[in-house]
Amino acid sequence: MPTQTKVKTAKFDAAKYHGLDRDALIRIYRTMFLSRKLDDREIQLKRQNKIYFQISGAGHEGVLAAAGLVLKPGYDWFYPYYRDRALCLMLGVTPYEMLLEGVGAKDDPASGGRQMPSHWGHQQLNIVSRSSPTGTQFLQAVGAAEASIYYSEFPKALQQAKQAPLGNAVRFHRDEIVYVSAGEGATSEGEFFESLNTACTKRLPVLYLIEDNQYAISVPVEVQTAGGSISKLVANYPGLHIEECDGTDPLESYAALNRAAAHCRERKGPALVHAHVTRPYSHSLSDDEKLYRCDEEREEEARRDPIPKFGLFLVREGILDERELEAIEADVEREILEATDRALQAGLPSKDSIYEFVHSPDIDPTGRQFDATPKPHGEPKTMVEMISATLLDEMARDERIVVFGEDVADCSREDQLAKLKGKGGVFKATSGLQRKFGSRRVFNSPLAEANIVGRAIGMATRGMKPVAEIQFFDYIWPAMMQLRNELATMRWRSAGYFKSPAIVRVAIGGYLTGGAIYHSQCGEVIFTHVPGLRVVMPSTALDVCGLLRTAIRSDDPVLFLEHKHLYRQPYNRSEYPGADFTVPFGKARMVREGADVSIVTYGAVVHRAEVAAAELARDGISTEIIDLRTLSPYDWDAVAATVRKTNRVIVAYEDTRSWGYGAEIAARIADELFDQLDAPVRRVAATDTFCAYQPQLEDVILPQTGDIVGAVSELVKY
């Protein structure tokens, strides 16, 4: 606490303090002190085993309190990181609510006890649920800013978003900005640079705050960042307004943030504030900084601590005297003590609450309302033609829908579009959509898969309905962090306060005669393993139409897998079934009825099973075929029914045999239907290798009709 006193000046001059009045300056100090004391109380509670994790915002309070004065809660949008306690306090999160996070209480507004403390989230304040991975927030903030621009141009989309489930959380203001923050260590993530690229290209109102405390856990900034300065490293990004400030000085920080925010509000593009702060405590209570920071360095840093510095400043300026400062600090201590007592008595989540918000509580895509009768008309369409037709109808119905990804537009240079046939995707699945709906609704992305999915999450969180495309499943892996840790978890980790029901379309699979390793991959089981994510893989044009429309009209994130080999096959064509045709998730299709052996399959193997069944019929073997159509959820009732009927079953799938999708089906049959079996459950699948370029090798690697015939023949003889 400062010990110097000074008589208050007779007349307060706000111009000296960048226009801030006395109450604002006092509020800054109180919030900074409150933030630090909350950290201290959580550390104490952790050592008493009353909470289970702690990570502090100590040393960052100055710039964050200033940010809270510049930005508008419930108006702007916030993607804060775990050290942003002081910002969240300024925005309106209470100490009690923060301590509810610490104890994991059911009334914690951030996650209902599902996430660690300091993983901020508050629906009413527009603080979007924070996850643990570093850097993933940057691309989502960009997507959220894209929604800001989109709603200003498409007011009908805004109204549709407000009428959709969770529409009460959809807010928009014409000069809103999106705040996103991180430590300097997180700027080493590629997604930071991907986000800057898009924010600058599209001139988006994103305010980046990089809180540079010189360390990413134990790794110093000069090891993380070339040249040791992130603001200098990104200085040449076109349209990026850059400010650098002493983040331990709230007034200097306020001025820098004010200029940056004005740049964004005036729609001049993104801004980045590089704030130099301190980290007086270890990274977290799981870390001991004395192991890698010498005493001299830590002592020098302590002299820059923002709280005693600003308290002394207020006394010297005559804004407060020592007794007033002591009264503020005592009031903070009382507030924290009261909040702690209340939080420790707060109710905990019920054990069965873990199943809530894995999926949407409002729309059930497995429900009967999606079981529609087709009304066929027109010439038969291939699968790829059906995708385009379905998207066209849905985009006309719902203005929230945007389609984007690599090469999906007809032509990004609109002035040349009239002279060209247009691209419309490498498989032509989105052909003509840009011409119909314009470049604001159908547009190309950078060649960056995390960029595509991360932005889609941000858009969907704001109420839009993005249909993003990953060009090849083989290249989905850069987006894995966004898919697994962000897209699938948003609703559950926020206890239902936020959602991101984006659709991600992906071309998948082999049988291409020359596709080789990097254009023939499967791997759908990796995604069916992810709770919260719906995974769909149709095998016919009719099902593509119905299932894609269900995906769009549902309220969950969906990975929509489209087999490349099936895109233009004549045997799976269909007439267009109408603009309201849907197929429920989790309902298999009976492809062929039989009595001797059942084949449970999906994707490109369905047709091979049909050919095998025709061949087997000539030998008197009756084969039943079930096409799962959706892989998560899958139709267990249909599987169980066919097993009980034939008592022999083969699970046939294109992915590698070991650890593949068929293993779950086979294991569950053995577990729950063992007494119904007259023979072991068999799997027909790819070899445990990669897919080769040479067609003769591909034929051996991927499951063929002959493999299915052989497996069925053996099973009948068992």
Side-chain angles (χ1 to χ4, degrees), residues 352-423:
D352 59 358
S353 70
I354 60 174
Y355 300 107
E356 296 175 354
F357 306 117
V358 175
H359 299 295
S360 170
D362 302 299
I363 298 177
D364 179 8
T366 70
R368 290 183 179 179
Q369 71 271 27
F370 288 102
D371 197 355
T373 301
K375 299 175 181 178
H377 62 274
E379 293 296 318
K381 295 181 182 295
T382 62
M383 182 185 283
V384 75
E385 291 169 336
M386 196 70 85
I387 292 167
S388 180
T390 305
L391 287 173
L392 191 147
D393 271 347
E394 288 302 292
M395 292 183 75
R397 185 188 67 89
D398 190 344
E399 203 169 71
R400 298 177 302 152
I401 298 173
V402 293
V403 172
F404 70 103
E406 299 161 20
D407 299 301
V408 302
D410 291 309
C411 180
S412 289
R413 293 174 175 166
E414 289 186 273
D415 60 325
Q416 299 180 21
L417 188 55
K419 306 174 187 178
L420 302 167
K421 185 177 180 180
K423 183 73 173 174

Side-chain angles (χ1 to χ4, degrees), residues 308-535:
K309 275 177 55 180
F310 194 61
L312 186 60
F313 171 84
L314 294 177
V315 172
R316 284 175 173 170
E317 293 291 304
I319 295 166
L320 290 172
D321 62 30
E322 186 175 334
R323 284 172 298 179
E324 290 171 319
L325 208 63
E326 288 176 343
I328 289 171
E329 293 171 355
D331 183 61
V332 164
E333 296 279 11
R334 282 192 296 271
E335 182 179 1
I336 292 176
L337 181 61
E338 178 188 343
T340 302
D341 290 342
R342 288 179 62 202
L344 291 174
Q345 297 300 315
L348 301 181
S350 64
K351 292 181 179 179
D352 59 358
S353 70
I354 60 174
Y355 300 107
E356 296 175 354
F357 306 117
V358 175
H359 299 295
S360 170
D362 302 299
I363 298 177
D364 179 8
T366 70
R368 290 183 179 179
Q369 71 271 27
F370 288 102
D371 197 355
T373 301
K375 299 175 181 178
H377 62 274
E379 293 296 318
K381 295 181 182 295
T382 62
M383 182 185 283
V384 75
E385 291 169 336
M386 196 70 85
I387 292 167
S388 180
T390 305
L391 287 173
L392 191 147
D393 271 347
E394 288 302 292
M395 292 183 75
R397 185 188 67 89
D398 190 344
E399 203 169 71
R400 298 177 302 152
I401 298 173
V402 293
V403 172
F404 70 103
E406 299 161 20
D407 299 301
V408 302
D410 291 309
C411 180
S412 289
R413 293 174 175 166
E414 289 186 273
D415 60 325
Q416 299 180 21
L417 188 55
K419 306 174 187 178
L420 302 167
K421 185 177 180 180
K423 183 73 173 174
V426 295
F427 298 105
K428 304 296 182 185
T430 53
S431 179
L433 294 181
Q434 180 194 5
R435 293 182 193 273
K436 175 70 175 177
F437 298 105
S439 297
R440 296 296 189 186
R441 297 190 65 191
V442 183
F443 51 90
N444 287 328
S445 73
L447 203 161
E449 288 76 16
N451 178 289
I452 296 168
V453 177
R455 289 163 61 193
I457 295 170
M459 294 176 195
T461 302
R462 294 289 310 275
M464 292 177 64
K465 181 66 75 165
V467 181
E469 179 182 304
I470 300 294
Q471 199 168 86
F472 291 96
F473 183 87
D474 315 69
Y475 307 131
I476 200 171
W477 313 115
M480 192 65 188
M481 181 76 84
Q482 291 288 349
L483 287 162
R484 171 60 178 84
N485 282 340
E486 303 294 336
L487 179 67
T489 66
M490 180 67 78
R491 191 191 303 271
W492 191 88
R493 76 177 193 234
S494 69
Y497 288 115
F498 292 96
K499 63 176 183 176
S500 53
I503 294 89
V504 182
R505 295 180 41 251
V506 193
I508 190 172
Y511 298 109
L512 303 178
T513 311
I517 302 172
Y518 301 112
H519 290 81
S520 303
Q521 290 179 21
C522 285
E524 57 276 6
V525 70
I526 295 171
F527 296 95
T528 58
H529 184 70
V530 178
L533 184 65
R534 307 287 195 180
V535 182

